[in-house]
Amino acid sequence: MQKRYAFTLFACFLFTLTFAQRKKKDKNLDIPVVTAQPTSVDSLYLGMKWRNIGPFRGGRSVASVGVPGNPQLYYMGSVGGGVWKTQDAGMNWKNITDGQFKTSSVGAIAVAASDPNVIYVGMGEHPIRGVMTSHGDGVYKSTDAGKTWKHLGLPASRHIAAVRIHPKNPN
């Protein structure tokens, strides 16, 4: 039995080595094309560089929402860091749920169209992954733009992928 196991392991290892060749790099792919006049929308961004503007410890995010009528105000829910808020279009972020939620994994966020102070958050990372998935404990609601939160229920739901609010009734 041990010989058969050892032979199978060796055969798998040998098979893997036969396909372990490196792919040749195309030298022309790394050269950016710069023209005097932009020929497409993409070429307008050639001079720009990526930078991280935060939040610092948010982690993966599967939930974000903007506030209608306020292009500077956004909420982002991370799967390990709660809900974050920006009031300057993403230049600065602040966690608004630390110490108020029992779990930190956010699966969905919605802001009421009829009252931008009303926010609902569904907890639990909804794209279930084999490596790690964080579970939630239901739905939370804020009526003061995220200053305070109330747990509404559904503690056994574990994963909430979407929250929808009636357009005229935020309750």
Side-chain angles (χ1 to χ4, degrees):
M1 181 73 168
Q2 286 182 337
K3 288 182 182 181
R4 185 181 300 170
Y5 177 73
F7 177 75
T8 304
L9 187 62
F10 177 73
C12 289
F13 178 73
L14 188 62
F15 181 74
T16 304
L17 288 178
T18 61
F19 292 103
Q21 298 176 8
R22 294 181 186 241
K23 187 176 180 181
K24 291 182 181 178
K25 250 187 164 179
D26 186 358
K27 294 178 183 177
N28 295 329
L29 292 178
D30 295 334
I31 300 171
V33 177
V34 179
T35 59
Q37 291 183 340
T39 57
S40 71
V41 175
D42 291 338
S43 65
L44 294 173
Y45 301 109
L46 287 175
M48 298 180 80
K49 293 184 186 242
W50 182 89
R51 64 188 175 101
N52 183 6
I53 59 173
F56 176 67
R57 72 165 190 83
R60 295 184 317 277
S61 175
V62 294
S64 62
V65 65
V67 176
N70 188 346
Q72 302 290 313
L73 181 57
Y74 295 89
Y75 297 93
M76 185 270 302
S78 66
V79 296
V83 177
W84 294 75
K85 179 179 182 177
T86 180
Q87 295 179 312
D88 56 9
M91 294 300 292
N92 297 288
W93 291 87
K94 178 183 177 189
N95 187 294
I96 59 173
T97 57
D98 275 355
Q100 298 188 64
F101 284 9
K102 292 179 187 174
T103 60
S104 63
S105 180
V106 177
I109 299 177
V111 175
S114 60
D115 184 355
N117 290 314
V118 177
I119 308 164
Y120 287 87
V121 176
M123 302 303 289
E125 179 181 5
H126 63 269
I128 298 173
R129 302 167 1 126
V131 179
M132 183 182 87
T133 300
S134 301
H135 305 295
D137 65 337
V139 177
Y140 287 84
K141 178 183 179 182
S142 175
T143 56
D144 55 10
K147 291 178 187 162
T148 59
W149 296 89
K150 179 181 178 185
H151 188 258
L152 298 181
L154 301 174
S157 59
R158 296 176 61 110
H159 309 283
I160 297 178
V163 175
R164 301 291 181 253
I165 305 171
H166 190 279
K168 295 181 182 172
N169 182 358
N171 292 319

